[in-house]
Amino acid sequence: MQIIQSKEEFIRFLGEGSFGCVNLVRYSNPNDGSSYLSAVKNSYEEDYANLQSELDILLELRGYPNIVTCFGDSLEESFRRYGKKLYKLQLEFASEGILSAFMDNYADRKFLEPLIKDFTWMIFEGLVSVHGHGYAHCDIKPDNLLAFPCSSSEGYEIKISDFDSALEVGDVPKFWETNMPWMGTPFYMSPESVRDGVAEMSVDLWSVGCLVLEMYTGVIPWEGVNLHLLATLLRCGEAPEIPESLPSDAKDFIQTCFSREPEERGSATELMSHPFLSRPQVEEKKTEDAKTRNLFLLKLLKLRIKRRSSNKKPTTDAVVVSDKKPLKLRFFPSKATQFKRTLNKVLGLKFMPVNKSAYFRLVSVY
Ligand SMILES: Nc1ncnc2c1ncn2[C@@H]1O[C@H](COP(=O)(O)OP(=O)(O)OP(=O)(O)O)[C@@H](O)[C@H]1O
């Protein structure tokens, strides 16, 4: 999508990330009266590199299914008061918000099984593209998945967003240390990532396992476990507990995502053909539904033909029927931004910019 010099109207604040805030903005073209809404991610100069790297990945992945779309080909640059530079990344607006907020609309935050399967399938569709381009997302979790009303049907669509932790496969984040071993959000991290910090595709597959578990139980994985203990448990190859009450194919699927040996998880594509997700069942069901519908229509059709023929004299084209139907606070300078970001995730803190200061106020979000 090409950005035309347009009028910008702030609609509302959407949320706060580690690198700045996200606002809903309407862009209007005064020439033809057209307009569109965008979720605009704002970052100050010190976090420019992160926003740029997120844009670079989004540009590579633009047009692929279940990946949030970015508008424009570059970051928009503007100046704040006191000459501070601000960079903006325009994203398509997810009117249903992040998946974690979407879950709050459901009793006990639990989804029904068909929705879990649909959403998991969509997340994999997105991951196949991410992995296919040589990246690992490294922070798959409900806060980084966006919900959209489905354009073609009544349901919802899920897209992967927030690529600022994404890395090329094989890279290790600069901030990663053995005593701070979190490449993404701790509760969704895999044992091997805690051991070596290497961004592998398998890390995302473990996170999907956590996510599926969360969609069934409504509870974040490892709830109540402190981070020190969590690191120890993960290093020992432990996985979040899977309730016995889950259907057996779901348990088996989650267990596969939680395989100790990353290779045993398979790839995103391979996991998509696990019986838990196997589309044939869904397709079969759709075909069955379609058959039932057709049968019903056929009966209706026969009935009408009968009625017509009883009213009228039969003609050669008698088959023509009516077609009318149918925590702690901390301060630190802007140095290692990735480190800040991870620390925030660990501490559950979010950034609140404090006027012109180069520092940020951190507030607990737990
Ligand atoms: N495309 C979007 N549509 C609607 N809301 C969005 C969109 N992108 C972000 N948001 C909102 O803005 C918030 C901040 O998003 P952002 O991606 O900056 O950070 P985050 O994922 O919440 O945090 P972090 O970057 O620390 O992981 C989100 O939690 C969400 O509420």
Side-chain angles (χ1 to χ4, degrees):
M1 173 168 192
Q2 220 203 338
I3 297 184
I4 308 152
Q5 264 311 327
S6 50
K7 214 177 101 204
E8 212 177 301
E9 182 196 352
F10 170 84
I11 307 286
R12 68 183 157 92
F13 169 81
L14 288 174
E16 190 81 35
S18 306
F19 297 128
C21 66
V22 179
N23 296 324
L24 179 60
V25 175
R26 177 177 286 113
Y27 291 88
S28 328
N29 180 345
N31 297 331
D32 62 8
S34 63
S35 69
Y36 66 94
L37 286 173
S38 172
V40 182
K41 216 166 168 173
N42 300 275
S43 283
Y44 283 106
E45 221 167 342
E46 53 269 30
D47 294 322
Y48 164 81
N50 279 86
L51 203 62
Q52 182 62 50
S53 121
E54 180 166 13
L55 172 69
D56 291 341
I57 298 176
L58 286 174
L59 285 175
E60 260 190 71
L61 296 172
R62 188 151 65 185
Y64 285 90
N66 304 99
I67 306 283
V68 70
T69 304
C70 63
F71 298 149
D73 296 324
S74 56
L75 298 179
E76 197 192 323
E77 191 180 314
S78 64
F79 287 91
R80 272 283 167 268
R81 272 178 293 169
Y82 316 108
K84 209 166 160 53
K85 267 190 192 165
L86 187 72
Y87 293 92
K88 297 177 182 182
L89 169 61
Q90 283 191 32
L91 300 169
E92 62 176 323
F93 168 55
S95 57
E96 302 297 326
I98 50 178
L99 185 63
S100 41
F102 186 81
M103 289 171 83
D104 293 338
N105 300 330
Y106 290 76
D108 299 326
R109 298 185 80 243
K110 291 179 195 171
F111 288 152
L112 292 176
E113 190 157 69
L115 196 60
I116 298 178
K117 292 187 179 193
D118 270 2
F119 283 180
T120 309
W121 179 270
M122 292 177 201
I123 294 159
F124 273 131
E125 279 204 316
L127 275 182
V128 167
S129 309
V130 176
H131 295 171
H133 281 77
Y135 295 106
H137 183 281
C138 301
D139 202 14
I140 294 290
K141 60 171 177 174
D143 281 357
N144 289 338
L145 297 164
L146 296 171
F148 295 78
C150 206
S151 47
S152 56
S153 64
E154 276 178 5
Y156 298 97
E157 197 182 355
I158 292 293
K159 296 189 183 185
I160 301 177
S161 83
D162 202 356
F163 283 80
D164 50 25
S165 297
L167 288 171
E168 276 182 36
V169 169
D171 281 358
V172 176
K174 290 189 189 74
F175 56 84
W176 191 90
E177 287 174 14
T178 35
N179 56 355
M180 182 66 179
W182 314 109
M183 5 183 18
T185 306
F187 299 119
Y188 300 84
M189 289 296 102
S190 65
E192 72 280 3
S193 75
V194 168
R195 275 186 229 116
D196 60 19
V198 181
E200 297 290 357
M201 301 175 210
S202 52
V203 174
D204 292 338
L205 305 180
W206 176 282
S207 306
V208 173
C210 295
L211 185 71
V212 174
L213 192 57
E214 187 169 341
M215 291 194 282
Y216 270 107
T217 61
V219 177
I220 59 165
W222 299 114
E223 205 197 26
V225 175
N226 73 50
L227 294 182
H228 180 72
L229 177 60
L230 177 59
T232 310
L233 289 170
L234 287 171
R235 282 194 190 103
C236 298
E238 293 291 323
E241 201 182 318
I242 306 170
E244 264 311 306
S245 56
L246 259 56
S248 58
D249 61 346
K251 276 191 289 197
D252 188 78
F253 174 83
I254 300 171
Q255 261 151 11
T256 311
C257 294
F258 289 165
S259 302
R260 278 181 183 223
E261 297 305 325
E263 313 80 63
E264 285 173 15
R265 288 171 216 157
S267 65
T269 315
E270 280 161 356
L271 278 171
M272 284 171 96
S273 47
H274 186 282
F276 171 65
L277 287 177
S278 63
R279 286 274 122 165
Q281 275 178 11
V282 179
E283 294 309 342
E284 264 167 32
K285 168 100 178 56
K286 277 189 188 157
T287 320
E288 271 311 304
D289 289 350
K291 269 188 199 159
T292 319
R293 247 194 332 268
N294 288 345
L295 221 65
F296 172 74
L297 286 174
L298 204 70
K299 274 185 189 160
L300 210 67
L301 193 78
K302 278 183 185 160
L303 202 71
R304 286 224 205 127
I305 294 171
K306 237 181 179 173
R307 280 205 186 132
R308 281 188 152 224
S309 47
S310 57
N311 297 342
K312 269 193 192 173
K313 261 178 145 187
T315 59
T316 41
D317 56 353
V319 191
V320 178
V321 194
S322 163
D323 56 358
K324 276 185 205 146
K325 280 270 162 168
L327 264 178
K328 312 173 235 189
L329 300 181
R330 285 198 188 179
F331 293 85
F332 42 89
S334 58
K335 195 205 136 205
T337 50
Q338 276 290 5
F339 174 77
K340 275 194 311 193
R341 175 191 164 76
T342 305
L343 190 61
N344 291 350
K345 277 178 180 157
V346 170
L347 297 173
L349 296 172
K350 291 249 170 191
F351 277 80
M352 303 290 287
V354 181
N355 0 323
K356 57 178 182 170
S357 162
Y359 294 87
F360 289 84
R361 184 155 51 94
L362 294 175
V363 294
S364 170
V365 293
Y366 285 159

